[in-house]
Amino acid sequence: MTDKIDTVRLGPGRDGPEIGVQGFGAMGISEFYGSTDETAARDTLDAALEAGVTLFDTADIYGSGTNEEFLAPFVAAHRDELVLATKFAIERDPARAAYRGVRNDRGYIRQAVEGSLRRLGVDTIDLYYMHRRDPSVPFAESVGAMAGLVAEGKVRHLGLSEVTGPELREAFAVHPIAALQSEWSLFSRDVERSAVAAAAELGVTFVPYSPLGRGFLTGAFADAGKELPDDDFRRHQPRFTGENAERNAALLDPVRAVAAAHGATPAQIALAWVQQRAAVHGLTVVPIPGTRKRSRLEENAAATRITLTGAELAALEPLAGLVAGDRYPDMSLTSAAREL
């Protein structure tokens, strides 16, 4: 790929660093989606920079810290060329593989940021997200603790993930929020209830994760329970198995039709749709598709140059409302669970 993708400014108010209009989600390199060829994955990171992708996203939960460690040599080699994002708040327990706790208290935030700085091998994290919210901890306390990290120079910009519009406004009143990261795709549009409008109002960059529906929108698999390895967590997501998967696979026909009209792949159409949410809702949108292959990275980046027509957008509009099954087996940690 020779042409680099366009750039935008990270919020709030588009006064942050300049970043590629598409980012890179590193989660799948370390776990969740089966085994990884690390050599190919490192080549994919290089391909991302070559394409103009500069926002690289990880979290302390991914591989229980190993994802941050994997990125560290790449970050060291290209520190001035990229914007580094990581997250805290989801707690794991080695003795209980399925356990996921949420911690937003001041002491935990301090512990988490020090761990991420060490694993990433940096002095400052460019964008530090609260991965999930614990409603039992006052938001002012949590965001205030995060703001303290900015004051100390450990963090440059703050982000939130899976919060509602009112929660985003509440946090912003304590300290400017640069980015909101939540799931947003042709199949997942619950963020449009309140979060998107709040982000547009405040000048917060929206960072959609899983813009490809964890691969389902690409046609890579039709039934996770039958086709994916035992260690692939998509086998446990309701919309990707059994009758739900069968119903949802049938919804991809309009995506394929639009792709054929553009000489593109379904993945590229799904990404182009997310990218065009920027114009539809009047905000900056930087999706973070993840991949472990250079060819897929180049395919994803090329999607930023596809513009869907009004008729094509209309054909894709009904899909999310027809999807069977939730995003997670337990939706209690998502913003959807706290919408009024």
Side-chain angles (χ1 to χ4, degrees), residues 4-333:
K4 290 184 180 293
I5 63 176
D6 291 340
T7 61
V8 292
R9 288 282 178 183
L10 183 70
R14 302 183 179 90
D15 62 356
E18 190 172 18
I19 57 175
V21 74
Q22 184 181 108
F24 182 87
M27 181 184 81
I29 291 174
S30 297
E31 65 172 332
F32 301 110
Y33 298 143
S35 60
T36 292
D37 179 331
E38 291 196 358
T39 300
R42 293 199 181 281
D43 181 57
T44 302
L45 295 176
D46 292 334
L49 268 186
E50 292 166 13
V53 173
T54 54
L55 176 64
F56 289 81
D57 182 275
T58 182
D60 59 6
I61 186 181
Y62 302 158
S64 298
T66 60
N67 195 250
E68 292 177 323
E69 292 171 346
F70 181 86
L71 286 180
F74 175 74
V75 171
H78 303 283
R79 189 66 187 98
D80 295 337
E81 302 172 65
L82 56 82
V83 172
L84 178 62
T86 192
K87 315 178 199 70
F88 76 91
I90 302 181
E91 186 179 44
R92 302 179 79 165
D93 181 350
R96 294 179 289 167
Y99 172 75
R100 298 291 186 273
V102 176
R103 294 277 301 276
N104 291 174
D105 57 277
R106 188 177 296 273
Y108 184 79
I109 292 172
R110 170 66 58 180
Q111 172 188 330
V113 75
E114 296 295 350
S116 287
L117 288 167
R118 183 182 67 256
R119 288 186 292 271
L120 289 163
V122 297
D123 296 322
T124 305
I125 295 164
D126 298 316
L127 176 58
Y128 199 44
Y129 287 100
M130 177 189 292
H131 207 164
R132 291 293 187 272
R133 186 187 175 191
D134 176 3
S136 69
V137 178
F139 223 3
E141 176 184 325
S142 301
V143 179
M146 295 170 71
L149 302 179
V150 176
E152 293 175 34
K154 295 182 182 296
V155 171
R156 291 194 174 93
H157 300 278
L158 302 185
L160 300 172
S161 180
E162 290 283 358
V163 299
T164 66
E167 289 170 338
L168 177 59
R169 291 188 182 93
E170 180 183 352
F172 204 98
V174 177
H175 188 279
I177 303 299
L180 170 58
Q181 181 178 142
S182 293
E183 186 165 355
W184 199 8
S185 74
L186 278 169
F187 271 21
S188 299
R189 297 179 61 178
D190 48 86
V191 293
E192 295 174 27
R193 296 176 193 168
S194 70
V196 170
E201 171 193 320
L202 297 168
V204 175
T205 297
F206 207 107
V207 180
Y209 74 78
S210 298
L212 296 175
R214 305 193 186 277
F216 193 84
L217 288 167
T218 73
F221 66 96
D223 188 323
K226 296 178 180 178
E227 301 172 47
L228 300 182
D230 291 343
D231 61 349
D232 194 306
F233 96 120
R234 290 171 291 185
R235 291 171 59 94
H236 307 290
Q237 292 183 290
R239 62 178 50 171
F240 298 147
T241 58
E243 293 183 5
N244 286 346
E246 184 176 354
R247 287 177 57 185
N248 294 336
L251 299 177
L252 297 180
D253 288 343
V255 183
R256 295 190 184 98
V258 174
H262 284 267
T265 65
Q268 290 175 317
I269 298 308
L271 287 171
W273 180 90
V274 172
Q275 210 80 61
Q276 279 183 246
R277 299 301 91 192
V280 171
H281 295 281
L283 77 168
T284 301
V285 177
V286 182
I288 50 168
T291 182
R292 295 169 286 188
K293 297 180 180 179
R294 172 180 282 265
S295 61
R296 294 301 185 198
L297 185 286
E298 294 173 346
E299 176 185 332
N300 292 347
T304 65
R305 289 180 277 277
I306 296 174
T307 300
L308 305 180
T309 68
E312 290 167 342
L313 292 173
L316 300 173
E317 181 67 22
L319 298 187
L322 300 173
V323 171
D326 285 330
R327 296 193 274 129
Y328 296 99
D330 177 3
M331 290 286 287
S332 63
L333 299 183

